[in-house]
Amino acid sequence: MLRRDLLKSTVASVAGALALAPAGGAEGSSELEAIAAELTKELYASDGLALPIPSTPTVSDLAKGRDRTLVLGAGGEYYLGWYCGFFHGLYDHGLDMNAMSEMVVGTSAGSYMGSSLTSGHFLRLRSEFKFFGHFPSLFAKLTPLSSSNPSQQRAMKLSAAAKDGEISTRQTIGRAALAADNRVNGGAVSPRLIWMLTGDSRTDWPVAKIYTSAVDCYTGERLIVSQVAARKNGISLARGAAASSSLPGVIGPTLLGQRYGMDGGICSNAAHVDVVAGSKRAIVITITDGLTPPLYTGVPHRHADNIRQVEATGTKVLWIIANPPTDISLLDPRQIQPALHSGYERAKTEAPKIKAFWA
């Protein structure tokens, strides 16, 4: 009975899609595209993960009524090390950024940082990164990125060649990511690495204030995983962070409900600052201005424009840019130790500004 009902439902859906399909020379192709569009719409209609990127200043429903919000952008191993040093430095200057933030939006390295920060595992992560700073070869064994095969190289080259962040561009990169043989790098992010970076081996999304970003490899849609959407789709906080860090051709993609997600940085609004638009005050931390090296994708990251749109909704923004050396590799574990030091030293400068901003 179940199989018969499924077949009847599928036939009805296909018939509806065919009714929408245009007639013409490429009739077969057009009909199939219409069927695919209809089935995709049905599949994702109620998962609550897709959040379109607004083209004009728009108040986010997720940020309404919030005061202090925090946005953490992407940047590989280097930036995660920098974050560890930076937030440790802020902590030593009397700033507990978890306690002071009502909402945290994390992308890629920022998703791991935000997850560990909000779930109470930050100091453990900081200690582990200090250890790996002294022994980067051990971290390299957890993230073996030194070799790549032709299908991986295709995904990486497409990402590097991207000139815009349109949905069609994201689809092209995403489908190459899906087709990449990432077995040399462990396929999906390994459970031991996820646990180490988030400190969370649970299957739930325990903290409501953390939101992670990703991009749907098939549709190109921007995905924002909240606690509500995570519980609806059976997504753990660790998996949300892993998807946000699934760099095309390097690792992943990672399954989010019924969607395969890739790195949230493969997007025009790479820090996803629009998600906090409408909050009273937002601190946005990015590795660069988005256009200055080092970069890990060719998709332009116009952080300044994105922030201006957020400010146009009435949100006051304090933007902090890490500005690492332009000639480093963001994925090189040997950069962890200098990143820790740089982040910690930077906290001395930024702590008074943050105190004044959030006073």
Side-chain angles (χ1 to χ4, degrees):
M1 286 294 293
L2 287 176
R3 183 177 180 183
R4 186 173 63 190
D5 290 344
L6 177 61
L7 288 171
K8 287 171 63 178
S9 175
T10 302
V11 169
S13 297
V14 169
L18 283 172
L20 297 174
E27 184 175 352
S29 175
S30 297
E31 289 181 355
L32 193 60
E33 288 175 1
I35 293 169
E38 184 66 19
L39 292 175
T40 300
K41 181 180 178 181
E42 290 179 2
L43 180 61
Y44 301 143
S46 61
D47 69 3
L49 291 170
L51 183 64
I53 300 173
S55 58
T56 58
T58 305
V59 171
S60 166
D61 289 338
L62 299 175
K64 286 180 180 177
R66 312 266 195 178
D67 183 354
R68 299 167 173 166
T69 59
L70 180 63
V71 177
L72 305 175
E77 277 94 329
Y78 176 91
Y79 204 27
L80 190 50
W82 190 92
Y83 275 137
C84 284
F86 184 69
F87 283 104
H88 186 212
L90 293 181
Y91 190 83
D92 284 352
H93 284 81
L95 287 168
D96 183 341
M97 297 299 284
N98 178 37
M100 299 177 76
S101 303
E102 297 174 25
M103 178 182 185
V104 180
V105 178
T107 297
S108 199
S111 71
Y112 278 122
M113 186 68 257
S115 296
S116 67
L117 188 71
T118 56
S119 57
H121 295 287
F122 168 67
L123 292 180
R124 178 199 54 77
L125 179 66
R126 168 63 177 83
S127 297
E128 288 180 350
F129 257 69
K130 184 176 181 180
F131 172 81
F132 286 121
H134 291 294
F135 302 100
S137 61
L138 295 179
F139 190 85
K141 289 182 179 180
L142 291 173
T143 57
L145 309 177
S146 58
S147 59
S148 59
N149 55 50
S151 63
Q152 290 177 300
Q153 291 169 18
R154 175 179 59 184
M156 290 186 282
K157 288 176 180 178
L158 283 170
S159 178
K163 302 300 181 185
D164 60 58
E166 298 299 319
I167 281 191
S168 59
T169 300
R170 290 178 244 156
Q171 286 178 319
T172 298
I173 297 171
R175 292 175 188 188
L178 285 169
D181 178 6
N182 288 335
R183 285 176 295 177
V184 66
N185 295 331
V189 183
S190 67
R192 61 180 177 174
L193 180 59
I194 293 175
W195 183 87
M196 186 200 80
L197 294 177
T198 64
D200 197 345
S201 58
R202 291 171 289 186
T203 57
D204 194 13
W205 195 281
V207 187
K209 71 169 69 175
I210 178 68
Y211 298 76
T212 63
S213 69
V215 173
D216 187 312
C217 291
Y218 182 75
T219 68
E221 294 173 290
R222 191 267 298 273
L223 309 178
I224 296 295
V225 189
S226 64
Q227 186 184 63
V228 172
R231 291 181 172 176
K232 179 184 291 186
N233 295 280
I235 301 169
S236 67
L237 178 57
R239 182 167 287 274
S244 188
S245 306
S246 290
L247 193 61
V250 177
I251 203 161
T254 301
L255 196 61
L256 296 173
Q258 292 296 301
R259 302 174 184 259
Y260 272 101
M262 64 178 173
D263 197 303
I266 310 298
C267 193
S268 56
N269 192 335
H272 305 278
V273 293
D274 66 285
V275 179
V276 302
S279 61
K280 184 177 179 181
R281 293 170 287 184
I283 294 177
V284 177
I285 311 177
T286 60
I287 191 165
T288 69
D289 62 5
L291 302 174
T292 303
L295 306 173
Y296 64 94
T297 175
V299 178
H301 293 167
R302 305 187 188 282
H303 296 317
D305 293 342
N306 300 148
I307 288 172
R308 277 192 288 269
Q309 287 193 345
V310 170
E311 291 175 326
T313 68
T315 300
K316 295 180 180 179
V317 177
L318 174 62
W319 185 16
I320 298 170
I321 306 175
N323 281 331
T326 59
D327 58 348
I328 65 168
S329 168
L330 298 177
L331 301 179
D332 185 353
R334 291 173 297 181
Q335 297 295 335
I336 291 175
Q337 188 169 32
L340 284 165
H341 176 74
S342 177
Y344 189 85
E345 290 300 308
R346 184 63 176 277
K348 297 176 182 179
T349 302
E350 301 299 337
K353 299 177 186 177
I354 293 173
K355 288 179 180 178
F357 184 71
W358 272 357

